[in-house]
Amino acid sequence: MMKKRSISASKASLVLFLCQMISALDVPLDLSQPPTITQQSPKDYIVDPRENIVIQCEAKGKPPPSFSWTRNGTHFDIDKDAQVTMKPNSGTLVVNIMNGGKAEAYEGVYQCTARNERGAAISNNIVIRPSRSPLWTKEKLEPNHVREGDSLVLHCRPPVGLPPPIIFWMDNAFQRLPQSERVSQGLNGDLYFSNVQPEDTREDYICYARFNHTQTIQQKQPISVKVFSTKPVTERQPILLTPTGSTSTKVELRGNVLLLECIAAGLPTPVIRWIKEGGELPANRTFFENFKKTLKITDVSEADSGNYKCIARNILGSAHHVISVTVKAAPYWITAPRNLVLSPGEDGTLICRANGNPKPNISWLANGVPISIAPEDPSRKVDGDTIIFSHVQERSSAVYQCNASNEYGYLLANAFVNVLAEPPRILTPANKLYQVIADSPALLDCAYFGSPKPEIEWFRGVKGSILRGSEYIFHDNGTLEIPVAQKDSTGTYTCVARNELGKIQNEVQLEVKDPTMIIKQPEYKVIQRYGQVSFECIIKHDTTLLPTIIWLKDNGELPDDERFLVGKDNLTIMNVTDKDDGTYTCIVNTTLDSVSASAVLTVVARPNPPFDLELTGQLERSVELSWIPGDENNSPITSFVIEYEDGLHEPGVWHYQTEVPGTQTTVQLKLSPYVNYSFRVIAVNEIGRSQPSEPSEQYLTKSANPDENPSNVQGIGSEPDNLVITWESLKGFQSNGPGLQYKVSWRQKDVDDEWTSVIVANVSKYIVSGTPTFVPYEIKVQALNDLGYAPEPSEVIGHSGEDLPMVAPGNVQVHVINSTLAKVHWDPVPLKTVRGHLQGYKVYYWKVQSLSRRSRRHVEKKILTFRGNKTFGMLPGLEPYSSYKLNVRVVNGKGEGPASPDKVFKTPEGVPSSPSFLKITNPTLDSLTLEWGLPTHPNGILTSYILKFQPINNTHELGPLVEIRIPANESSLILKNLNYSTRYKFYFNAQTSVGSGSQITEEAVTIMDEGKMAMASRQVDIATQGWFIGLMCAVALLILILLIVCFIRRNKGGKYPVKEKEDAHADPEIQPMKEDDGTFGEYSDAEDHKPLKKGSRTPSDRTVKKEDSDDSLVDYGEGVNGQFNEDGSFIGQYSGKKEKEPAEGNESSEAPSPVNAMNSFV
């Protein structure tokens, strides 16, 4: 809900224009002119008799006028009355009442005359009356004894005052008496009761009259009203208390407020409705007051005349009254005479036209004297409401008065004829600046005077062409209007005024500004109470204008509250309350325009609690509850929750009763006997639940037999020879009366026995002893109280106590499915031997020993439970090649029966687990020692061990895989004829007759040859010599040159065998020693990293084919450095630093990695 409002610049300009038209007729005060009345007291002037009387009369003219007064039609000589003075240079009279004067002595009709050499102007007839506030006449008031339901009128009859007093009714405590459709005050001040009720009895009905002029209040003596009741109260159809009869008349004057009143008696209280016969009540001017008993029509006109009917109606009938309204009119202006300025020899007219009902009479005066007896003027001719002037001369100057009167009032207007010969004058200041908003009218003023009347022309610029065309409007008062000013309208405009006596011009400036706009308006907001809300008001404006932003709430100022934070372009309200609900308006003002935008803030909250709970229609098992909803707090109530309290059984505890829609305010509630009910209502809306209402009155229902029996009746024995009967007791309100007890009955099922019964107190359990073990019983529990029994209860089947089962399951068989799973079978036990509810069977099983180790261990029994009457089950998770035992037991509610004989079964062999460890020790040049431990779980008889191994070069490429089968009784092995300084990976697993188990892997490295280590030591010694350092520098330089040449040739597409050159020219002292397929030395290049041995089937992508190894090569991924144990065995993953592409002719273009070189040492 958003509203935007802009104050139209054209409207403001139109007001300015009208003012300019009036001012254009004003004669400059430096020129001779007749008097003009500028200020006077009202026609009907009621004065305070305690204060000085000031009768105003101000006038202007050249020369300045003199003043005189008449009182009651004769000259009032103020010099002879010491209490009366006239203000200097003014005609205003001051009557000094505060120094002994009496206001009553100056009551009368006063008229002021202002006169100079060019004429005389007169004021209205001013009727002076002092206000009066007389006391109430003393009277003896008898008490009013009224029968309940009758009508009553308490008369006020205030004293006649001037002006009439304002009437209201209060009590002795100065509190206004409450009024309603039933009790209300009439227009005459009387207090009307459509029907009296017992609560109307009181002794202090007091009518007060307030006289505003004297600021006094008069009090009538208290009136006593006593209402006596008669049963039953007689209902009555409506009759009108005021006005009386079926018709009446009313006369009202045009422009006044029409008030029509109808007050009716009746029981129930009548409702008033108004219609206009043969027409509609005027929209926007019709209002209903005093509970629709008063019809109010504002600003009435002759069109509002007609018959108005009021209709009073209740359920017994109706009454009506017709008021015939006639609208009369005091005189009102159609054309009031206006001042006339003429030059000698010119013609002119004065027009005085007025209307009224009846039509007013028009009369003329000249200088305050009836024109018929005024001095003759040959240039003047009177024609009804018009005076025609021809060839006027200077002596024709005078002030003429037009009087329009009928029986309801008069109008008096002064208009002068001023004969002057004056050259043009421009009264608008030179270079006056006008600023307007684009797309709005621009009104450039050229106020002028001259006699004869000058002609006005406008020009654009100083020497521009004359302005003509439809885009301009030229007003009679000289104003130039540009209806839709644009930015290019900015500039200088020149006004020229000329008559036969001269010419004059004036320049004015026009600036057209961009309009102020609200580009982001405040938006409709819904906020919960105590929340925070913000309204935005972002504006765009002309940079030369300074805007001010004002925020209003409901068209008034914002509350003076620190919770309201006004920012540059927003309004924030903190901790919102209900009072903040309303319309917020952002008004942006500049010196030229004003725009506004509004948005509504709706504050929502949980509803207020309902009130005025009332119980009606009380019956034994039902009651009607009604309530009045509380304020919904701007969020509609969706439902009402009704709760009850049982003050007899659970005082202070509230229970849910029912829920009804939010549109419902009454509900029929079902009740239980012997409950002391109180009800409360909770309102619910989208925000939440209200606080509970105040509790209703209490209502105690009568006692009755119980309506229902206990629920959840069960019979379950706790011992083999008893039956425990249990039930859920009735709640307090279910007892329906005092003395709640239970009749417990039982008999053995399927046996022709009589019912055994016992009556117990308000408990929930009874134990029957000496029963057979686990036999069915029929059971019933019936409620009773002091008034009788509940209806016959339904029967339930229970059982006496259980005992342990007597026999074990027989024919237990085991079928071994595989080395870890077996299936067990058994025969069910006879149900009679279960002696209780069969719950299932339990299988106990445990491992006796492992057949491979022949050693016993601690027995850990496992239990599997099979529910119901199942006769088989699966035993998972067995260990291979082991001996097991099991037995089976039946289970009932009491426990387990005897176990079946132990059944022995064996599981077959399986594959073993991995060896417990694999350790590689004693590395030499060409051998490694392997040691291992038995598998933790052999799962059978070991037949052998399988060892697989293969070398790994520095680029992680795997060599050929070698497989060795080792007898099962071995625990170590020495591998010989290995390559020195070579890394090997080993895969080791055990086997049974079933197959191979999981493998364990390890890595290890053979050591370097000691002779080569000694050579390396010597080389280190040589390297300390100076000649060797020089030689190495030369070699390094040579190698650098060769590398450059190689790089150049390779870029040209050729190949240069760098390696061959190095072999040919290398120093023999540092030439590495080669042995078989491994190379070791301090210096190493790419050819030292040779591929796998001849016959290796390792592909170039470093993967092992399926026929070479079943093991995954994931363990050999890059990125993790290898680590060694103290005994030389390798732990973890081998890591290289860079992948290498396959090289031609077993050559490599990649330099050896220092890390790889170091890894070649143990």
Side-chain angles (χ1 to χ4, degrees):
M1 185 182 296
M2 191 159 51
K3 180 178 65 176
K4 184 177 180 182
R5 188 183 72 232
S6 176
I7 298 175
S8 171
S10 62
K11 292 183 179 179
S13 302
L14 181 59
V15 174
L16 174 64
F17 164 62
L18 294 176
C19 294
Q20 290 171 340
M21 288 189 67
I22 296 172
S23 63
L25 301 177
D26 286 347
V27 180
L29 286 176
D30 62 332
L31 298 177
S32 296
Q33 58 184 291
T36 300
I37 301 291
T38 58
Q39 193 172 2
Q40 57 184 315
S41 293
K43 293 179 182 179
D44 191 6
Y45 188 19
I46 299 175
V47 298
D48 189 335
R50 300 166 299 182
E51 297 180 354
N52 292 341
I53 302 174
V54 177
I55 310 174
Q56 290 184 328
C57 181
E58 303 290 342
K60 65 177 182 177
K62 180 71 173 182
S66 61
F67 297 90
S68 62
W69 284 87
T70 63
R71 176 183 173 186
N72 296 328
T74 61
H75 176 67
F76 181 39
D77 191 352
I78 59 175
D79 293 332
K80 294 182 179 179
D81 192 331
Q83 302 294 333
V84 180
T85 58
M86 185 183 295
K87 290 184 177 180
N89 302 318
S90 167
T92 298
L93 298 181
V94 178
V95 181
N96 195 336
I97 301 300
M98 301 180 71
N99 286 336
K102 297 291 185 179
E104 292 79 2
Y106 294 92
E107 191 170 351
V109 179
Y110 293 78
Q111 189 172 44
C112 170
T113 301
R115 187 184 308 273
N116 68 9
E117 61 190 27
R118 287 190 167 249
I122 61 175
S123 72
N124 292 321
N125 288 327
I126 302 171
V127 180
I128 302 296
R129 294 186 296 170
S131 64
R132 291 186 293 273
S133 52
L135 298 176
W136 238 295
T137 58
K138 291 186 177 181
E139 56 183 326
K140 185 177 182 181
L141 301 176
E142 297 294 334
N144 291 273
H145 296 274
V146 193
R147 182 174 55 189
E148 181 180 356
D150 286 358
S151 61
L152 174 65
V153 181
L154 299 183
H155 298 288
C156 181
R157 298 192 183 98
V160 178
L162 186 67
I166 297 173
I167 307 301
F168 51 93
W169 290 79
M170 294 198 298
D171 59 16
N172 275 331
F174 295 100
Q175 298 298 313
R176 285 186 177 267
L177 295 175
Q179 298 191 25
S180 63
E181 289 184 343
R182 187 177 63 85
V183 182
S184 61
Q185 178 182 315
L187 294 176
N188 63 356
D190 292 348
L191 191 63
Y192 292 85
F193 295 77
S194 295
N195 54 78
V196 295
Q197 301 295 326
E199 59 265 26
D200 296 329
T201 298
R202 61 191 307 152
E203 296 182 351
D204 55 350
Y205 286 94
I206 306 174
C207 181
Y208 288 85
R210 183 174 67 227
F211 297 90
N212 283 344
H213 240 77
T214 57
Q215 295 295 311
T216 58
I217 296 178
Q218 304 291 349
Q219 172 185 335
K220 186 183 179 75
Q221 288 181 327
I223 302 174
S224 173
V225 174
K226 294 182 179 179
V227 180
F228 59 91
S229 298
T230 58
K231 298 296 182 180
V233 177
T234 303
E235 293 185 339
R236 298 174 176 82
Q237 69 178 29
I239 59 170
L240 289 172
L241 298 176
T242 184
T244 58
S246 59
T247 61
S248 60
T249 59
K250 172 80 172 182
V251 175
E252 191 57 76
L253 292 182
R254 181 178 186 270
N256 287 355
V257 175
L258 174 65
L259 294 174
L260 304 178
E261 179 181 57
C262 275
I263 300 178
L267 183 67
T269 302
V271 176
I272 305 295
R273 186 167 66 94
W274 290 90
I275 60 173
K276 182 180 181 182
E277 293 182 342
E280 298 290 334
L281 294 174
N284 303 322
R285 295 188 292 117
T286 300
F287 304 93
F288 297 100
E289 297 180 345
N290 196 21
F291 310 98
K292 292 191 176 181
K293 299 174 186 179
T294 301
L295 171 64
K296 176 180 177 180
I297 301 177
T298 60
D299 192 23
V300 294
S301 65
E302 289 84 346
D304 295 320
S305 297
N307 293 332
Y308 292 81
K309 179 187 286 188
C310 68
I311 304 169
R313 187 184 303 276
N314 68 9
I315 58 175
L316 299 182
S318 65
H320 68 270
H321 184 93
V322 177
I323 305 174
S324 179
V325 174
T326 302
V327 177
K328 298 291 186 179
Y332 56 92
W333 290 118
I334 295 176
T335 304
R338 297 173 59 188
N339 292 339
L340 190 62
V341 178
L342 300 173
S343 62
E346 279 191 320
D347 302 336
T349 58
L350 287 179
I351 300 174
C352 175
R353 290 179 184 159
N355 202 357
N357 187 8
K359 188 173 181 63
N361 295 318
I362 304 295
S363 61
W364 288 96
L365 297 88
N367 295 324
V369 178
I371 202 166
S372 58
I373 61 173
E376 287 290 334
D377 184 350
S379 66
R380 179 182 70 209
K381 178 183 178 182
V382 179
D383 185 8
D385 58 7
T386 303
I387 302 179
I388 302 170
F389 296 92
S390 304
H391 304 290
V392 296
Q393 300 301 318
E394 187 173 350
R395 66 176 179 273
S396 300
S397 296
V399 182
Y400 291 87
Q401 290 83 33
C402 173
N403 185 299
S405 61
N406 65 13
E407 60 187 279
Y408 297 107
Y410 74 93
L411 293 174
L412 178 67
N414 290 276
F416 63 67
V417 175
N418 196 17
V419 181
L420 294 172
E422 286 291 329
R425 296 186 183 189
I426 293 181
L427 307 179
T428 300
N431 291 311
K432 183 175 181 179
L433 176 63
Y434 292 90
Q435 295 178 324
V436 298
I437 297 296
D439 298 325
S440 63
L443 293 168
L444 308 183
D445 187 21
C446 184
Y448 65 90
F449 183 81
S451 187
K453 180 180 178 181
E455 294 181 356
I456 303 297
E457 293 178 323
W458 280 94
F459 298 85
R460 179 74 184 268
V462 179
K463 296 182 180 180
S465 59
I466 188 170
L467 296 181
R468 291 187 178 89
S470 59
E471 64 267 32
Y472 302 103
I473 298 175
F474 303 95
H475 293 283
D476 289 341
N477 66 345
T479 297
L480 168 66
E481 179 180 353
I482 306 175
V484 183
Q486 302 295 331
K487 294 286 284 187
D488 59 4
S489 302
T490 298
T492 301
Y493 291 81
T494 303
C495 163
V496 177
R498 59 167 59 90
N499 67 8
E500 61 190 36
L501 300 178
K503 169 186 170 184
I504 192 170
Q505 69 179 40
N506 186 39
E507 296 172 5
V508 295
Q509 308 296 324
L510 173 63
E511 291 182 358
V512 181
K513 308 289 187 179
D514 290 325
T516 304
M517 295 183 292
I518 299 177
I519 59 176
K520 188 165 186 182
Q521 302 178 356
E523 298 177 346
Y524 172 70
K525 296 290 181 70
V526 177
I527 190 71
Q528 288 193 31
R529 187 186 293 164
Y530 308 125
Q532 176 179 326
V533 68
S534 290
F535 291 107
E536 287 188 296
C537 185
I538 300 177
I539 64 172
K540 180 181 178 183
H541 62 92
D542 192 287
T543 55
T544 63
L545 299 177
L546 182 63
T548 58
I549 298 179
I550 301 172
W551 286 91
L552 302 179
K553 178 182 183 295
D554 296 330
N555 295 323
E557 293 184 359
L558 289 178
D560 185 12
D561 192 328
E562 61 185 9
R563 296 182 300 108
F564 287 76
L565 305 177
V566 178
K568 177 183 177 183
D569 51 16
N570 61 61
L571 168 66
T572 301
I573 308 174
M574 313 287 290
N575 196 23
V576 172
T577 67
D578 293 340
K579 295 180 180 178
D580 301 331
D581 198 277
T583 300
Y584 289 84
T585 303
C586 163
I587 300 178
V588 185
N589 292 317
T590 67
T591 54
L592 299 182
D593 63 349
S594 177
V595 291
S596 66
S598 298
V600 173
L601 172 63
T602 301
V603 181
V604 296
R606 296 184 301 171
N608 292 349
F611 57 94
D612 280 357
L613 272 64
E614 184 178 5
L615 296 179
T616 57
Q618 291 91 340
L619 300 175
E620 290 186 1
R621 294 297 182 98
S622 69
V623 71
E624 184 174 88
L625 173 66
S626 61
W627 61 90
I628 298 176
D631 193 336
E632 63 184 18
N633 290 326
N634 294 322
S635 179
I637 295 174
T638 57
S639 63
F640 292 100
V641 176
I642 292 89
E643 296 180 340
Y644 73 91
E645 175 197 33
D646 181 0
L648 194 62
H649 302 99
E650 293 180 290
V653 179
W654 290 91
H655 302 276
Y656 173 85
Q657 171 88 8
T658 188
E659 187 168 350
V660 298
T663 56
Q664 189 172 327
T665 57
T666 61
V667 63
Q668 194 77 20
L669 301 174
K670 294 182 179 180
L671 307 180
S672 295
Y674 194 54
V675 177
N676 194 11
Y677 282 100
S678 289
F679 299 97
R680 68 183 187 186
V681 183
I682 299 171
V684 182
N685 64 9
E686 288 186 358
I687 311 305
R689 295 162 63 103
S690 71
Q691 292 294 321
S693 67
E694 292 295 322
S696 69
E697 60 182 301
Q698 291 186 331
Y699 177 47
L700 176 62
T701 55
K702 294 181 180 180
S703 301
N705 295 9
D707 292 325
E708 52 191 310
N709 288 301
S711 60
N712 198 22
V713 177
Q714 293 181 334
I716 302 174
S718 60
E719 298 294 338
D721 61 349
N722 74 5
L723 172 65
V724 179
I725 302 173
T726 60
W727 60 89
E728 286 187 11
S729 300
L730 299 180
K731 298 187 182 299
F733 73 90
Q734 295 174 308
S735 65
N736 286 6
L740 178 63
Q741 293 178 300
Y742 300 100
K743 180 183 179 182
V744 184
S745 304
W746 68 93
R747 69 179 177 185
Q748 191 170 334
K749 191 175 184 297
D750 299 329
V751 177
D752 192 14
D753 280 351
E754 296 292 330
W755 287 93
T756 303
S757 300
V758 64
I759 294 178
V760 300
N762 188 9
V763 295
S764 60
K765 182 171 70 173
Y766 182 76
I767 300 176
V768 180
S769 301
T771 62
T773 300
F774 195 67
V775 295
Y777 278 86
E778 294 177 325
I779 304 167
K780 57 184 180 180
V781 180
Q782 185 178 23
L784 66 150
N785 61 20
D786 291 351
L787 280 78
Y789 286 87
E792 185 67 22
S794 58
E795 300 171 6
V796 298
I797 303 300
H799 287 80
S800 57
E802 298 179 69
D803 206 346
L804 293 176
M806 298 173 62
V807 299
N811 193 24
V812 177
Q813 300 292 330
V814 179
H815 172 60
V816 178
I817 296 175
N818 57 39
S819 61
T820 61
L821 181 65
K823 185 175 183 181
V824 58
H825 293 262
W826 61 87
D827 290 340
V829 300
L831 289 179
K832 291 184 178 180
T833 66
V834 176
R835 300 201 293 182
H837 295 285
L838 175 64
Q839 295 187 354
Y841 293 87
K842 285 187 179 181
V843 177
Y844 286 74
Y845 66 100
W846 61 96
K847 181 178 176 181
V848 178
Q849 65 178 14
S850 173
L851 299 178
S852 60
R853 296 182 180 176
R854 302 295 181 186
S855 60
R856 294 182 178 273
R857 63 176 184 174
H858 174 69
V859 176
E860 179 184 352
K861 289 188 177 182
K862 297 182 179 179
I863 305 172
L864 285 178
T865 300
F866 301 94
R867 297 290 179 187
N869 198 20
K870 201 170 184 182
T871 59
F872 67 91
M874 305 299 290
L875 305 180
L878 303 177
E879 294 184 12
Y881 205 51
S882 300
S883 176
Y884 279 87
K885 286 185 179 181
L886 65 75
N887 59 52
V888 184
R889 311 175 191 194
V890 67
V891 182
N892 67 10
K894 189 71 173 177
E896 300 175 2
S900 67
D902 290 349
K903 185 74 174 179
V904 178
F905 66 97
K906 298 179 181 178
T907 56
E909 287 188 76
V911 296
S913 64
S914 62
S916 57
F917 66 88
L918 174 62
K919 188 189 311 182
I920 304 174
T921 60
N922 302 325
T924 66
L925 288 173
D926 61 352
S927 67
L928 292 170
T929 300
L930 281 68
E931 298 178 357
W932 60 87
L934 288 171
T936 306
H937 301 287
N939 294 338
I941 299 174
L942 297 180
T943 58
S944 63
Y945 292 100
I946 301 298
L947 174 66
K948 298 177 183 179
F949 64 93
Q950 60 188 146
I952 309 172
N953 68 10
N954 289 341
T955 59
H956 307 299
E957 294 176 340
L958 299 173
L961 188 67
V962 179
E963 181 176 319
I964 301 175
R965 185 178 296 275
I966 303 170
N969 57 354
E970 297 291 338
S971 61
S972 64
L973 175 67
I974 300 176
L975 283 178
K976 298 182 179 180
N977 298 322
L978 302 176
N979 297 331
Y980 65 85
S981 188
T982 301
R983 182 178 303 280
Y984 289 90
K985 184 166 186 178
F986 299 91
Y987 313 91
F988 193 69
N989 61 296
Q991 281 189 331
T992 65
S993 60
V994 176
S996 299
S998 57
Q999 65 183 14
I1000 185 171
T1001 63
E1002 270 295 354
E1003 292 185 12
V1005 182
T1006 56
I1007 65 174
M1008 181 182 284
D1009 181 60
E1010 293 179 357
K1012 290 195 174 186
M1013 293 181 64
M1015 180 181 288
S1017 176
R1018 288 197 300 273
Q1019 287 174 341
V1020 171
D1021 293 339
I1022 293 172
T1024 61
Q1025 305 300 314
W1027 63 269
F1028 181 74
I1029 294 173
L1031 178 62
M1032 289 299 100
C1033 290
V1035 172
L1037 180 60
L1038 178 61
I1039 292 173
L1040 178 61
I1041 294 171
L1042 290 174
L1043 288 174
I1044 293 172
V1045 173
C1046 178
F1047 178 77
I1048 294 172
R1049 290 190 61 187
R1050 173 166 290 186
N1051 286 344
K1052 293 180 178 180
K1055 295 185 179 180
Y1056 182 78
V1058 179
K1059 176 59 186 170
E1060 294 178 4
K1061 296 293 183 181
E1062 290 178 354
D1063 289 342
H1065 299 287
D1067 194 316
E1069 292 187 325
I1070 61 172
Q1071 181 71 26
M1073 298 175 65
K1074 299 185 178 180
E1075 186 173 330
D1076 296 334
D1077 296 303
T1079 61
F1080 293 86
E1082 186 176 53
Y1083 176 77
S1084 170
D1085 69 8
E1087 279 201 22
D1088 293 332
H1089 300 277
K1090 287 189 176 292
L1092 297 174
K1093 289 183 178 181
K1094 186 177 182 181
S1096 171
R1097 287 176 286 179
T1098 305
S1100 61
D1101 61 358
R1102 307 187 193 104
T1103 61
V1104 179
K1105 292 185 177 180
K1106 181 70 176 176
E1107 59 266 33
D1108 294 335
S1109 174
D1110 291 334
D1111 296 324
S1112 169
L1113 297 184
V1114 173
D1115 290 343
Y1116 305 100
E1118 296 183 0
V1120 181
N1121 294 327
Q1123 301 180 23
F1124 294 90
N1125 281 336
E1126 294 179 358
D1127 59 3
S1129 60
F1130 185 79
I1131 302 174
Q1133 294 175 330
Y1134 180 80
S1135 170
K1137 297 301 179 183
K1138 183 177 182 182
E1139 284 194 3
K1140 174 183 172 186
E1141 297 294 332
E1144 294 182 3
N1146 293 334
E1147 291 184 355
S1148 172
S1149 61
E1150 180 182 351
S1153 166
V1155 176
N1156 291 340
M1158 292 301 298
N1159 284 342
S1160 66
F1161 292 91
V1162 177

